[in-house]
Amino acid sequence: MSVKPGERPRLFGTNGIRGRPNELLTPDFCLSIGKAAATRFGAPEIAIGRDTRRSGDFVLSSVAAGVLSTGTNLIDLGILPTPALQYYCKTRKIPGIVITASHNPPEFNGIKCIDSDGTELSAREEEEIEKIHYSGNFRSVDWKLIGTFSKDDTAVTSYIEAIRQRVSGTITGKSYRIAVDPACGAAYASTPRLLSELGCRITSINCYPDGLFTSRNPEPRPENLGILISMMKEGDFDLGIAHDGDADRAAFVDENGDFVEGDRILTLLVKHLSRKGDVIVTPVSTSDSVDDVAGEIGARVLRTRIGAPVVARSMIDNRATLGGEENGGVIFGDHQYCRDGAMTAAYVLSIMSTTGKTLSSLLSEIKKYSIRKGSVHFTGDWNELSGHIERSMPGSRIDRTDGLKIFGDGGWALIRKSGTEPIVRIYAHAENERDCTAIFGKFRKIVEEFTS
Ligand code: MG
C-alpha cells in the first residue's frame, strides 16, 4: 500500500481490515499487520484461522510470518467459523487473528483481530495496532526465539459441543427438517454437523468449501438465496438456515419460503429468551419492535453506534444478556460476546421446539414495522451534509448516537456515512408502508439534492 508522507489512512473499518489481495492486502502489508498485531498483543501465542476464500492461504501465510518474527507462537485452527475461533480464544484466554472478509464478494479478504476474551478488539486497540504498523516499531527477536507454528483441529468440535449443551434437551428428538445453505463458506461442515447432532434431518446446499463463491454471493440476503427460498417453497421443510461467508451471522427462511429480516429474529429471541430486568443492546438502526417486546417483558434496551464490536463491548459493560444487529448478527452474553450464527440457529430451533410453533406462527406474534434501506453515492464532507439535513428539518427530534436519527411523520429515518464504502446509508422505519416510503423518499431527496 502506498502512503504519501504524512498520510495515514485508517485501516480497520467496522469489522477489521478489508481489501483485495495484492492491492491493499499485499504480502508486505499483511506481514506488517502480523508484526504489529503480535507486538500489540504481547502474548506468547496467538490462534489463527480463516474462511474458505481463495486468497486465504496467501493472506494467512503473510500475516503468520509477521507474527512469528516477533517471537510469538501460532496455533493454526484451519478453516472455521469466526465465532468458533472466538470461542477458542475465550476458553484458552489467548488472542486470535481471523483471515476473512465476512459477507464481502470473493475478490476481497480481510484481517480481524480478536482479544484474549474472545471479543473483537475495540477501536482504540485497533488504532494502537495501526500506530505500530505505521511507525515500524515492531518487536523483533533473536533467531533462537522466533515463533513456531502448530495446528489444532479441535476448535470446531469444542464450539459445536458448547452450542449443543446450551440447547440440549429442548431440540433433540424433534427431527426438524432443515434446509441449510452456508454459502460454501466457513460453516460448510460445522453447521450441518451441529444440526445433525441436534437430531435434525438436513438437506444441504453449498456445503463444500468454494473460495470463489461460485454458487452464491456470501451475503445472506434474499436476492442471493434464490435456491434456498425455492427449496423452502417447494419442499417439506420446517426451517431454512443460511450463513454469511464466516458464519457469524445466520439468516432464516420460514416454512413457507418467506425470508425473515434480522430485526425480526432478534425481536423473537428477545421475546423468548429475555427476562424482566435484563439489558438488551442493539444499534440505533434496529427496528422499534425490539423496544416493544422488551417493554412488555420489563427488559431495558440500550442503543449504540453501528458495529458488532461496539455492541459486544457495551454488552460487557452493562452485563447485557442479549444483543444484536438488524443484519442478523446476534450476540448471546451467556455464551460469548460476539456474533454467532450457529448459536442463533440453535436458539431459533429451541424456541420452535419449546413452543411447538412454526417460525411463521412465532413471527406473527410480533408487530411488523415497515422498513426501507438504501444508499446514495457520497464522497463529500459528512459534517457539511449532516448540517444541511439538520437545517432541512427544523424543530425535529434528532438522536446523534450514530449519524442522524430523525423522528417524525409516523416513524424515523437514520442517515449515516458508511465507514467502508463511499456512500451515505438511508434507513426509514414506520408503522406502515405509506409513511415509510414517504420518509425514505424525503431524506433521499435531501441527500441527493446536496450531493448533485
Ligand atoms: Mg460475517
Side-chain angles (χ1 to χ4, degrees):
M1 176 185 186
S2 66
V3 178
K4 292 176 195 153
E7 188 190 350
R8 292 186 166 183
R10 285 298 318 266
L11 302 171
F12 287 89
T14 356
N15 281 296
I17 297 172
R18 298 270 169 88
R20 289 171 190 248
N22 279 343
E23 290 182 17
L24 173 69
L25 301 179
T26 62
D28 288 352
F29 174 80
C30 297
L31 182 87
S32 176
I33 294 297
K35 287 184 195 176
T39 301
R40 171 66 187 148
F41 284 135
E45 56 185 4
I46 291 177
I48 195 164
R50 50 166 291 206
D51 63 18
T52 56
R53 282 167 198 274
R54 176 73 177 76
S55 57
D57 287 338
F58 163 79
V59 177
L60 188 142
S61 320
S62 308
V63 171
V67 172
L68 299 178
S69 76
T70 67
T72 308
N73 296 331
L74 267 176
I75 306 170
D76 181 14
L77 308 182
I79 291 174
L80 77 174
T82 296
L85 181 137
Q86 291 179 273
Y87 187 76
Y88 187 91
C89 290
K90 179 193 151 186
T91 50
R92 304 287 176 109
K93 298 186 172 55
I94 61 171
I97 298 174
V98 199
I99 309 304
T100 178
S102 187
H103 62 276
N104 287 151
E107 61 270 29
F108 286 85
N109 212 328
I111 305 167
K112 187 187 269 195
C113 295
I114 307 299
D115 217 339
S116 52
D117 62 358
T119 60
E120 291 168 58
L121 287 193
S122 67
R124 191 179 51 77
E125 288 164 309
E126 288 176 339
E127 277 171 36
E128 290 290 329
I129 293 174
E130 285 178 9
K131 216 181 279 176
I132 297 168
H133 159 75
Y134 283 125
S135 72
N137 196 13
F138 309 115
R139 177 178 150 84
S140 179
V141 295
D142 184 67
W143 67 270
K144 286 185 236 131
L145 298 172
I146 293 286
T148 59
F149 199 81
S150 61
K151 287 188 182 291
D152 187 344
D153 59 6
T154 65
V156 170
T157 301
S158 313
Y159 167 68
I160 288 175
E161 182 55 23
I163 294 173
R164 213 163 58 80
Q165 280 183 4
R166 298 220 155 260
V167 293
S168 68
T170 62
I171 303 172
T172 314
K174 292 280 180 177
S175 294
Y176 281 120
R177 292 149 303 179
I178 314 284
V180 58
D181 175 1
C184 299
Y188 74 90
S190 56
T191 292
R193 185 177 147 197
L194 168 70
L195 295 169
S196 295
E197 289 186 15
L198 291 172
C200 301
R201 283 182 282 160
I202 314 298
T203 301
S204 57
I205 51 167
N206 303 324
C207 284
Y208 54 94
D210 174 8
L212 301 176
F213 297 111
T214 41
S215 181
R216 78 158 167 92
N217 179 296
E219 168 94 76
R221 293 291 308 158
E223 57 271 27
N224 298 327
L225 300 178
I227 299 171
L228 180 68
I229 289 169
S230 300
M231 282 171 68
M232 295 299 297
K233 281 188 195 298
E234 290 159 20
D236 190 16
F237 295 103
D238 299 300
L239 187 65
I241 300 169
H243 288 300
D244 69 325
D246 69 332
D248 57 352
R249 286 198 273 148
F252 298 88
V253 180
D254 75 14
E255 75 282 3
N256 303 317
D258 289 327
F259 179 84
V260 184
E261 290 293 342
D263 294 280
R264 296 185 55 71
I265 292 295
L266 178 62
T267 307
L268 178 77
L269 293 163
V270 170
K271 181 178 161 87
H272 291 272
L273 301 182
S274 296
R275 296 194 171 83
K276 188 175 180 184
D278 281 356
V279 177
I280 316 295
V281 179
T282 192
V284 284
S285 51
T286 310
S287 172
D288 291 355
S289 60
V290 174
D291 305 75
D292 297 344
V293 165
E296 286 164 18
I297 297 166
R300 188 160 61 97
V301 179
L302 291 180
R303 295 278 184 169
T304 65
R305 285 185 293 114
I306 289 170
V310 180
V311 175
R313 293 280 158 194
S314 175
M315 285 180 69
I316 295 170
D317 293 345
N318 294 286
R319 297 171 185 269
T321 49
L322 196 58
E325 305 172 299
E326 41 76 35
N327 65 9
V330 186
I331 303 171
F332 303 89
D334 59 354
H335 171 52
Q336 57 176 348
Y337 285 107
C338 66
R339 290 177 296 191
D340 194 325
M343 189 73 254
T344 308
Y347 269 128
V348 168
L349 278 169
S350 171
I351 293 167
M352 286 169 58
S353 177
T354 49
T355 59
K357 294 178 180 173
T358 62
L359 182 58
S360 70
S361 142
L362 287 164
L363 293 168
S364 70
E365 297 165 359
I366 294 169
K367 181 175 172 180
K368 190 172 185 180
Y369 288 90
S370 292
I371 295 170
R372 271 195 77 171
K373 299 173 190 176
S375 61
V376 174
H377 185 77
F378 181 73
T379 52
D381 185 297
W382 166 250
N383 290 330
E384 287 179 18
L385 173 58
S386 63
H388 171 74
I389 296 168
E390 289 190 50
R391 284 190 296 279
S392 307
M393 302 297 300
S396 298
R397 180 161 78 88
I398 301 180
D399 177 330
R400 295 177 182 80
T401 304
D402 195 347
L404 296 174
K405 188 171 181 178
I406 302 160
F407 298 84
D409 302 325
W412 50 260
L414 175 68
I415 300 107
R416 63 183 288 273
K417 190 173 184 291
S418 165
T420 52
E421 296 170 76
I423 53 172
V424 163
R425 295 189 194 281
I426 302 172
Y427 303 69
H429 180 285
E431 297 260 346
N432 60 61
E433 194 62 39
R434 189 173 50 83
D435 287 348
C436 186
T437 304
I439 292 169
F440 185 84
K442 179 163 93 178
F443 284 97
R444 189 172 60 185
K445 190 160 171 255
I446 292 171
V447 174
E448 282 176 344
E449 276 171 1
F450 182 82
T451 53
S452 63

